[in-house]
Amino acid sequence: MTLEDALTALRALAEPGRAEGMAAYHKQSREVIGISNPALNEITTDWRRNLSVPERVALAEALWQTDIFEARIAAAKLLTQARLRPDDAAWALIQSWLPDLDSWAIADHAMMAGQKRLMADLSRMDTIEAWTTSDSFWTRRAALTVTLPLAKKNNPNAAEAQARARVLSWAERYVTDPEWFIQKAVAWWLRDLSKHDAEATRRFLAGPGQGLKPFAQREAAKHL
């Protein structure tokens, strides 16, 4: 499938009047086609089914480079799959997107793809740790959103437990970060953790978590 074929297929899914509302809601200056998320899910699922892994990576890269809102989300959805072999090229492509992140919707979809690659190979935590000191708050935020599956484990194995503790150490450094998106990301991570390890969440909130802004503390403790 060529990029032109993919864009033609995406534009055919546009709903009249939807683009304007989406652009306003997501605060987008880039082109927005106006496609519903279910329709985007359906077409990217079909693409994943019919394209080889190298073809998916190539199409994802091309779609991302268009800088069209739905094309970037579609690029991420093409790579959001647990079983993806080989996956080194996909992981490298996801990392290459970090400097372009500037919208929570695109960033979240990109990191959903990253989550699959991390859980397939936890040695990638070393790479992700470097994101935590980035000048870009979007990249710092990505270190938490990409590791969310670790917060959701009921019975983590030894490697997953170690990785979870590592993320909490990053969150500890984040508590004094004034950026709203960082505060929200820490709260999001702790809120999800609280459903699976309430005691660890309580310990964090009673300790370093006291440095979080009040809204983030409330969000983190929502399910306790």
Side-chain angles (χ1 to χ4, degrees):
M1 175 181 290
T2 67
L3 173 62
E4 291 71 21
D5 291 337
L7 288 177
T8 298
L10 289 175
R11 294 191 189 283
L13 299 175
E15 297 181 12
R18 189 180 185 91
E20 293 80 5
M22 288 177 60
Y25 177 72
H26 292 287
K27 297 179 173 63
Q28 294 297 296
S29 57
R30 59 173 51 86
E31 179 185 353
V32 177
I33 298 172
I35 307 173
S36 70
N37 199 51
L40 207 51
N41 281 335
E42 184 175 351
I43 194 169
T44 52
T45 298
D46 184 61
W47 289 348
R48 285 201 307 267
R49 187 182 300 119
N50 291 290
L51 296 174
S52 67
V53 172
E55 287 170 337
R56 272 179 267 170
V57 172
L59 181 57
E61 182 173 16
L63 285 167
W64 187 273
Q65 291 302 322
T66 66
D67 196 26
I68 298 169
F69 183 74
E70 289 94 339
R72 286 197 161 182
I73 291 177
K77 287 180 180 292
L78 273 171
L79 303 183
T80 305
Q81 184 177 338
R83 295 180 181 275
L84 197 67
R85 293 289 183 269
D87 75 343
D88 286 346
W91 175 235
L93 180 58
I94 292 165
Q95 291 177 75
S96 77
W97 293 341
L98 289 171
D100 296 332
L101 299 182
D102 60 3
S103 163
W104 64 264
I106 293 173
D108 287 356
H109 279 91
M111 289 306 107
M112 285 177 198
Q115 289 170 10
K116 304 299 185 183
R117 307 285 50 85
L118 170 64
M119 298 310 291
D121 184 356
L122 284 177
S123 71
R124 288 166 175 158
M125 287 287 291
D126 292 339
T127 297
I128 294 168
E129 183 157 16
W131 303 359
T132 66
T133 57
S134 171
D135 291 337
S136 167
F137 73 79
W138 288 107
T139 300
R140 299 198 302 277
R141 176 182 183 271
L144 294 184
T145 54
V146 78
T147 54
L148 270 173
L150 294 168
K152 299 176 181 180
K153 286 281 186 176
N154 279 321
N155 298 293
N157 59 34
E160 291 164 345
Q162 183 179 30
R164 176 185 284 179
R166 192 171 179 182
V167 178
L168 285 172
S169 74
W170 303 344
E172 184 172 346
R173 300 200 300 269
Y174 281 3
V175 296
T176 56
D177 193 314
E179 172 56 51
W180 185 90
F181 276 105
I182 296 296
Q183 292 281 316
K184 183 70 173 178
V186 174
W188 185 8
W189 213 95
L190 292 170
R191 183 195 64 198
D192 281 0
L193 179 63
S194 72
K195 301 175 189 177
H196 308 278
D197 191 342
E199 186 54 37
T201 307
R202 289 191 181 97
R203 285 197 303 270
F204 189 96
L205 290 174
Q210 294 183 61
L212 288 167
K213 292 185 181 298
F215 87 87
Q217 292 183 31
R218 290 192 298 270
E219 179 68 20
K222 183 176 181 179
H223 298 300
L224 291 177

